[in-house]
Amino acid sequence: FNLPGVKRRHLAVAFIFVLTNIYHIYSFGEGHEGAASSNIVHVLSSSHVEFDEEKCTSAIISAVDYTALPYETSPLSWEQKEITTTHLIAKLAMDSALAGDYVEVDISSAYNCTEKGILSLIAAIAQRTVMNEPYCNRSNNVPTHKRAIWFAFREERCVKEVKQLFDRQKFSVVDAHGPLTSTVDVPIHLLVGEVQNTLPDLPVKNIALLGITHPPPPSWWEDGSNGGVTTTSQVSYSGEQVEKYSLHALFSLYRRVRIGGYVALHGVWAGRQIRDFFTDGNQTLLSASNHSTSFIKENTQIRIPPDFRKAEITISPKVTAAWATLGQWHKETVKSFVGHVGTNPFQSYRYIEAMHHVIRLQKKQSGNDKETTINVCETGFNGGHSAMLFMSFLDKEQGVNVNYFGWDLKKVRSASPISDKMKGKYGDNFHLVWGDSKVTLKQAKEYMGSQLCHLIVVDGEHSKNGVVNDLENFLKAGVAAPGAIVFGDDCAPYKRTVPQSEEMLEGWMELVQTNKLISVANYRNPDLPSPGFVEGLVPQYCSEAVLILCEKFRLDSICY
């Protein structure tokens, strides 16, 4: 075939899709009685069966009742009070247009290990039912997504019971970082440990339903009650610890929930900080009670609660050490710059998280877990604080090579002497171009050679045109890697301290609305001089058909 490289790759993906589907039909049910024959019926008859939401919902509810309720300890006692939960999960399972996985985070200290993972089990049963029943296929032209189920919990002592919960129903608990096979119909991933340690590096790209759960003790419920009675148990149930863990889960995962995706908070008290988190966002409320809330995510806006930022956000020691070195350099040369990222701990924290993510992703994509090279590109060097944060990840002994490419007007007095200091320390890993980025960025490809930007920060000219020009030039110059993480500093609603912030946000949204960028989160700081920042992704260069196949069969290594 005399086809361009990209088309050859798409043809290869389509060929793999056909082979995988054939194999999937005949090997789907290994270890799952009746699953193979059911899937064959689905493939052969789906074109003749109309989607029936009522019938499909009934099938899901029946499957849940039949498989989950007979357990001797009746672990669904809490969920029986939350009938809307099962219906929400059923709604998600039938939504063939909404790609993404199901993620549940249980933040409780277990009262009973058999109570853990019930909602995730219901989600797995619903997903299997939809994949096997022809009348659950909403669109014959849109394949049912192969959703993974992620269950994160804090109690290591409950691992055995949780695994048994899924084993009883013949679900496969698989390594979150390992390859998937077509014989795994609904992959189950378990993550054990404190949420602030396990969730930031969770290797899930898109979330269709995020559930954060804290089941109250059985004594908290009364038959016929509308949400239980107030007891001393409620004090710990609705206390600061629950809110803290909930916020850690939200800050780690909410940005990965797709627009139109579902969020469900079960047994999580909506304290002031959680309400602050959602203040700026628009959500479509689905249900609410004094112990649960569920809604549809409508936009990417997030407010950073000040108390959470002050108490819970910690900066990596290697970054603080790099900033200490930078502070000494400022004393030795000139200390003259306009603000810096270090005054916003959460923004620094997101930059650090992004670096960890990019390093892990590059190692995975290259197939080399020993060595990798990360290229960070930034407009607006200023006093060098963000540059030092990124360069603190350079660790050649550990096989992590970081290159910094910067563009700056050389306007602040600290820029030139600090650039010299960083060049002396980091040598060929540090590169800075002086001049107006509206001009100099157009030559970025020639300047960077064959290298691409894996992480991009736009912090140059503070105006709508400045933001648009920098972003457009990164994209047009062909140096923005597909899937690269992009940050825009001070792009936020109006604030007196940065009066241009609103128009900068307009510039960012202009690229989002024209599909040149994918919006991930719009963070707002209510109490800092900096109004906030935005985060997004460079779109992948795959056709829509190929993306659907990659979503269905989770072929990230082929598509991305």
Side-chain angles (χ1 to χ4, degrees):
F1 295 92
N2 185 23
L3 295 171
V6 172
K7 290 186 178 180
R8 286 201 300 271
R9 183 176 66 171
H10 289 182
L11 186 63
V13 172
F15 181 65
I16 291 171
F17 165 65
V18 173
L19 293 180
T20 305
N21 231 3
I22 294 172
Y23 180 70
H24 184 64
I25 293 172
Y26 291 102
S27 62
F28 179 92
E30 291 183 13
H32 307 293
E33 185 178 351
S37 59
S38 176
N39 201 49
I40 293 172
V41 171
H42 172 78
V43 172
L44 296 179
S45 63
S46 60
S47 59
H48 304 290
V49 178
E50 293 291 329
F51 169 73
D52 189 323
E53 182 171 356
E54 184 177 346
K55 202 171 181 180
C56 186
T57 301
S58 177
I60 292 172
I61 300 298
S62 296
V64 169
D65 288 345
Y66 176 76
T67 56
L69 284 176
Y71 295 149
E72 62 278 3
T73 55
S74 187
L76 282 180
S77 56
W78 173 50
E79 273 67 43
Q80 289 174 43
K81 307 289 185 178
E82 294 283 356
I83 297 300
T84 55
T85 299
T86 306
H87 283 280
L88 181 60
I89 290 172
K91 184 179 177 69
L92 167 68
M94 289 183 284
D95 193 342
S96 57
L98 180 62
D101 292 344
Y102 172 90
V103 179
E104 179 189 357
V105 182
D106 187 323
I107 62 173
S108 67
S109 296
Y111 302 106
N112 184 343
C113 288
T114 59
E115 293 182 353
K116 286 195 172 294
I118 302 300
L119 290 180
S120 291
L121 176 63
I122 292 174
I125 293 169
Q127 191 62 28
R128 177 178 284 173
T129 303
V130 167
M131 294 175 73
N132 291 330
E133 297 294 350
Y135 46 73
C136 287
N137 187 12
R138 186 179 293 274
S139 171
N140 292 328
N141 299 319
V142 180
T144 301
H145 290 290
K146 185 171 185 177
R147 303 189 200 277
I149 309 297
W150 302 77
F151 179 50
F153 55 102
R154 297 168 54 204
E155 300 291 323
E156 252 184 81
R157 64 186 178 85
C158 293
V159 171
K160 181 180 178 181
E161 286 85 348
V162 171
K163 283 186 176 180
Q164 288 176 345
L165 185 71
F166 292 101
D167 287 344
R168 288 190 187 107
Q169 302 307 318
K170 309 298 184 186
F171 287 105
S172 299
V173 177
V174 297
D175 182 359
H177 299 278
L180 292 178
T181 67
S182 59
T183 57
V184 179
D185 58 344
V186 183
I188 310 296
H189 304 302
L190 303 182
L191 296 101
V192 187
E194 295 297 339
V195 293
Q196 57 266 51
N197 299 327
T198 58
L199 297 186
D201 291 329
L202 186 72
V204 60
K205 185 179 298 182
N206 293 311
I207 298 174
L209 193 157
L210 171 62
I212 301 176
T213 63
H214 186 284
S219 61
W220 209 67
W221 299 105
E222 284 188 342
D223 290 337
S225 69
N226 185 23
V229 295
T230 302
T231 70
T232 54
S233 300
Q234 190 176 2
V235 176
S236 60
Y237 157 65
S238 61
E240 293 181 1
Q241 287 294 96
V242 172
E243 189 169 44
K244 179 185 81 170
Y245 289 128
S246 301
L247 283 166
H248 274 294
L250 286 169
F251 273 115
S252 293
L253 301 177
Y254 184 74
R255 64 178 179 274
R256 308 184 204 184
V257 178
R258 297 184 71 116
I259 300 298
Y262 305 100
V263 177
L265 308 177
H266 300 291
V268 175
W269 178 65
R272 179 173 55 82
Q273 294 190 77
I274 291 180
R275 292 197 300 271
D276 279 353
F277 181 94
F278 292 113
T279 294
D280 296 327
N282 294 320
Q283 299 92 25
T284 300
L285 189 66
L286 298 176
S287 66
S289 70
N290 64 342
H291 53 76
S292 69
T293 305
S294 60
F295 57 86
I296 298 174
K297 178 178 175 179
E298 301 289 359
N299 61 29
T300 58
Q301 295 179 25
I302 296 171
R303 180 178 289 203
I304 305 166
D307 292 345
F308 178 80
R309 186 192 67 240
K310 294 171 184 175
E312 296 299 324
I313 298 300
T314 57
I315 304 302
S316 167
K318 65 182 177 184
V319 173
T320 55
W323 282 343
T325 300
L326 180 62
Q328 186 59 40
W329 288 347
H330 283 137
K331 289 180 181 178
E332 296 171 2
T333 56
V334 180
K335 186 178 181 180
S336 176
F337 48 84
V338 182
H340 63 86
V341 71
T343 61
N344 185 347
F346 181 77
Q347 188 169 350
S348 301
Y349 176 70
R350 276 303 302 135
Y351 284 7
I352 293 167
E353 275 191 323
M355 283 296 288
H356 285 302
H357 171 80
V358 171
I359 291 169
R360 185 180 65 250
L361 185 64
Q362 286 303 112
K363 285 183 175 180
K364 179 181 177 182
Q365 290 184 340
S366 67
N368 183 353
D369 62 354
K370 302 296 183 185
E371 295 181 351
T372 190
T373 296
I374 306 301
N375 299 319
V376 178
C377 301
E378 179 181 39
T379 57
F381 176 71
N382 194 18
H385 292 81
S386 51
M388 284 294 280
L389 181 154
F390 296 126
M391 292 307 299
S392 72
F393 282 83
L394 177 65
D395 189 344
K396 294 187 177 181
E397 290 184 2
Q398 296 297 318
V400 179
N401 190 49
V402 178
N403 294 316
Y404 176 86
F405 295 92
W407 288 263
D408 192 87
L409 272 175
K410 206 176 183 177
K411 212 170 185 181
V412 301
R413 292 170 58 209
S414 285
S416 182
I418 296 302
S419 171
D420 293 340
K421 290 283 189 181
M422 291 190 70
K423 188 66 176 177
K425 181 176 177 63
Y426 297 113
D428 290 340
N429 292 92
F430 179 82
H431 312 270
L432 194 55
V433 177
W434 301 115
D436 190 340
S437 61
K438 289 194 291 290
V439 177
T440 57
L441 259 183
K442 293 177 180 178
Q443 284 78 49
K445 194 172 183 66
E446 290 79 4
Y447 180 61
M448 295 180 65
S450 61
Q451 300 183 89
L452 298 177
C453 306
H454 304 117
L455 193 154
I456 297 170
V457 177
V458 172
D459 190 15
E461 180 183 313
H462 275 40
S463 69
K464 178 179 178 178
N465 288 337
V467 170
V468 170
N469 284 326
D470 283 353
L471 291 171
E472 290 272 19
N473 284 329
F474 273 123
L475 296 170
K476 289 178 180 178
V479 295
I485 298 176
V486 186
F487 291 103
D489 187 46
D490 287 337
C491 298
Y494 173 82
K495 196 164 193 176
R496 181 178 54 82
T497 51
V498 185
Q500 310 95 328
S501 63
E502 190 170 24
E503 64 172 277
M504 294 169 68
L505 180 59
E506 289 176 7
W508 171 274
M509 293 307 299
E510 190 174 291
L511 272 81
V512 170
Q513 289 160 3
T514 53
N515 299 316
K516 295 175 182 177
L517 285 178
I518 299 170
S519 177
V520 171
N522 296 20
Y523 299 104
R524 185 180 178 194
N525 305 313
D527 67 325
L528 292 178
S530 169
F533 64 105
V534 288
E535 179 179 351
L537 295 170
V538 175
Q540 306 284 358
Y541 299 141
C542 283
S543 70
E544 184 177 352
V546 174
L547 284 173
I548 289 175
L549 299 185
C550 289
E551 288 279 8
K552 177 175 173 60
F553 290 101
R554 307 178 65 77
L555 303 175
D556 289 3
S557 60
I558 294 177
C559 190
Y560 305 136

